[in-house]
Amino acid sequence: MSEINKSFPFEVKDVDETQLKQLKNYYDDTYFNLFMTRFGPKGYLLTQSYETIGRDIYNVKIRPTDIFVTTFPKSGTTWTQELVWLIANDCNFEEAKAINLNNRFPFIESEILLNSAASKFLAKDNTLKTSSEINLPSVEMVNNLPSPRFLKSHLPLSLLPPSLLDTCKVVYVARDPRDVAVSFYHHNLHINFFSEEKDFKTFWNFFTNDLVSWTPFFEHIKEAWQQRHHRNMLFLFYEELSKDLPGCARRVAKFFNKVITDEQVQELCDHLNIDNFKKNKSVNLEDLKEIGLLNKKGSFIRKGKVGGWRNHFDEEMTRQAEQWIEENLRDTDLRFPQ
Ligand code: A3P
């Protein structure tokens, strides 16, 4: 085995040509890479550029003080990052409001998202002072960050450094796939990944056929679920955050060996309330709207509801979704809280 294979022991497979065509017809790839390569035995779908960056990420030297929030996209990552950051930083609301979450908590593989046309567009824009303002840290930058590092990733555990869980704390958040898919679809509308309105049903078919970035969805979650009792893993559900945010805040505090008062819990819940979150410039990505990377039609912090998928699924889709979820949960005790 070569040095390269040793440091990134994953199979890389092309996506089927017909499927690739379907993706190309559906998406607008002016600024985005189309996700067209599969990695590892589970075949996670990521952009081709991941092949280079992925190896660097896999080899990032993990420090005991690192804190990771890892999720499948649109599962409540931002919400959880802010909760985790505040608890780990003794409820420093002032700093949380003053410094953009993307800078406090960089997205480790964000480089894989945009293509060179987007980079040129962003470089042209004089309002943009540093690349970190648009959340594009390089792996090199991550390696040079001072401790403690707060890092976000949508990669499954198997694609992250193998020493991760034995070395530092990881919070994983899972969410009902139907709500994830609806949220992802709206996100794609908001980031101009569709040149025109596209139907949700096609997106849902892509989602269940592992043709959406970071899928297969259930493999992603099951990898983390299997590790949920690891001393360094806190496994949360979006549905739990939604139902009992104070309880979740206490669980997070306990996980990080932090004492928080009832007053702080109350303050945290106010700060993390969706109405306040929508107005919070440190987390709502309004700056990306200003530079034109996100369009003005949507908002990054959107509905924030459990079960909103019901408004997007017809009877046939509902039945098919139930069956798909049931099949995927058959060999596991993982269940999404209602
Ligand atoms: P919806 O699109 O269903 O509204 P991520 O941060 O992983 O991209 O997840 C985005 C989802 O989390 C969106 O879901 C968003 O609205 C929701 N979300 C973000 N902040 C939230 C909050 N404070 N309370 C509830 N949901 C929130």
Side-chain angles (χ1 to χ4, degrees):
M1 200 189 268
S2 74
E3 249 340 276
I4 284 177
N5 285 339
K6 250 192 242 165
S7 58
F8 191 63
F10 294 117
E11 224 184 302
V12 182
K13 266 203 216 129
D14 289 340
V15 173
D16 175 274
E17 273 299 318
T18 323
Q19 292 182 325
L20 208 58
K21 247 192 214 143
Q22 288 175 324
L23 291 178
K24 284 194 168 151
N25 286 336
Y26 188 72
Y27 289 114
D28 178 342
D29 60 357
T30 311
Y31 290 134
F32 293 91
N33 274 324
L34 274 177
F35 300 97
M36 39 192 167
T37 313
R38 295 198 179 276
F39 292 89
K42 315 280 185 198
Y44 289 109
L45 194 72
L46 294 158
T47 63
Q48 278 173 341
S49 55
Y50 172 77
E51 197 169 346
T52 327
I53 297 158
R55 182 173 295 124
D56 291 343
I57 293 176
Y58 192 75
N59 288 288
V60 163
K61 194 167 178 330
I62 301 297
R63 307 173 194 159
T65 49
D66 288 342
I67 291 174
F68 273 74
V69 166
T70 68
T71 63
F72 186 89
K74 311 317 291 175
S75 301
T77 326
T78 317
W79 198 13
T80 308
Q81 284 174 274
E82 186 74 342
L83 171 63
V84 164
W85 189 92
L86 278 164
I87 287 180
N89 287 283
D90 303 315
C91 294
N92 190 343
F93 291 101
E94 265 159 38
E95 198 169 321
K97 281 181 199 143
I99 305 174
N100 199 304
L101 179 65
N102 293 334
N103 293 347
R104 285 180 279 130
F105 219 129
F107 177 23
I108 195 166
E109 77 267 22
S110 52
E111 276 177 281
I112 66 174
L113 301 178
L114 302 176
N115 63 18
S116 54
S119 307
K120 274 189 208 140
F121 164 78
L122 292 168
K124 254 192 344 210
D125 192 304
N126 293 329
T127 58
L128 204 68
K129 291 173 217 91
T130 66
S131 66
S132 64
E133 278 183 41
I134 54 143
N135 191 13
L136 289 178
S138 64
V139 180
E140 190 192 343
M141 186 201 107
V142 167
N143 279 328
N144 291 326
L145 279 176
S147 297
R149 294 184 298 192
F150 291 82
L151 296 168
K152 154 186 164 180
S153 179
H154 291 317
L155 293 173
L157 287 178
S158 58
L159 297 184
L160 287 167
S163 65
L164 182 77
L165 262 183
D166 288 335
T167 313
C168 75
K169 294 214 183 282
V170 179
V171 178
Y172 186 93
V173 192
R175 186 183 191 189
D176 186 307
R178 293 164 290 195
D179 281 333
V180 167
V182 169
S183 184
F184 215 152
Y185 167 80
H186 284 281
H187 181 76
N188 285 341
L189 279 175
H190 191 36
I191 62 173
N192 300 315
F193 206 2
F194 302 138
S195 52
E196 56 196 66
E197 193 91 10
K198 291 283 158 95
D199 65 306
F200 172 69
K201 203 168 191 169
T202 304
F203 184 78
W204 174 247
N205 281 332
F206 285 158
F207 191 87
T208 53
N209 285 295
D210 307 334
L211 284 169
V212 168
S213 43
W214 290 279
T215 58
F217 174 83
F218 275 107
E219 296 295 348
H220 198 297
I221 297 201
K222 282 179 191 174
E223 279 197 41
W225 183 249
Q226 274 168 9
Q227 298 291 345
R228 71 194 180 283
H229 299 308
H230 191 291
R231 69 190 154 79
N232 277 339
M233 163 69 89
L234 178 65
F235 191 105
L236 294 172
F237 287 99
Y238 180 94
E239 291 78 6
E240 293 174 319
L241 288 159
S242 186
K243 198 171 177 182
D244 180 17
L245 190 55
C248 289
R250 290 195 175 90
R251 279 172 67 194
V252 171
K254 188 164 176 239
F255 181 62
F256 288 107
N257 301 314
K258 292 278 183 184
V259 176
I260 47 168
T261 63
D262 290 348
E263 208 184 342
Q264 283 174 320
V265 170
Q266 186 55 50
E267 259 187 287
L268 276 168
C269 292
D270 286 346
H271 179 89
L272 295 165
N273 174 282
I274 187 143
D275 295 329
N276 294 330
F277 227 50
K278 273 189 184 165
K279 290 182 254 164
N280 183 343
K281 289 207 164 176
S282 182
V283 300
N284 66 13
L285 299 190
E286 289 291 315
D287 47 343
L288 297 194
K289 262 192 198 179
E290 279 153 31
I291 62 166
L293 199 61
L294 300 182
N295 61 50
K296 309 241 173 194
K297 283 181 264 175
S299 87
F300 178 65
I301 311 294
R302 203 179 59 95
K303 299 252 169 170
K305 291 264 176 294
V306 171
W309 62 267
R310 288 192 173 79
N311 300 325
H312 292 77
F313 283 62
D314 59 25
E315 268 181 43
E316 186 206 342
M317 287 165 79
T318 304
R319 263 197 313 277
Q320 181 266 339
E322 273 167 15
Q323 203 180 341
W324 177 68
I325 294 172
E326 198 184 306
E327 275 162 21
N328 279 287
L329 293 182
R330 203 164 281 156
D331 62 347
T332 164
D333 56 357
L334 165 71
R335 294 293 177 272
F336 297 96
Q338 295 302 310

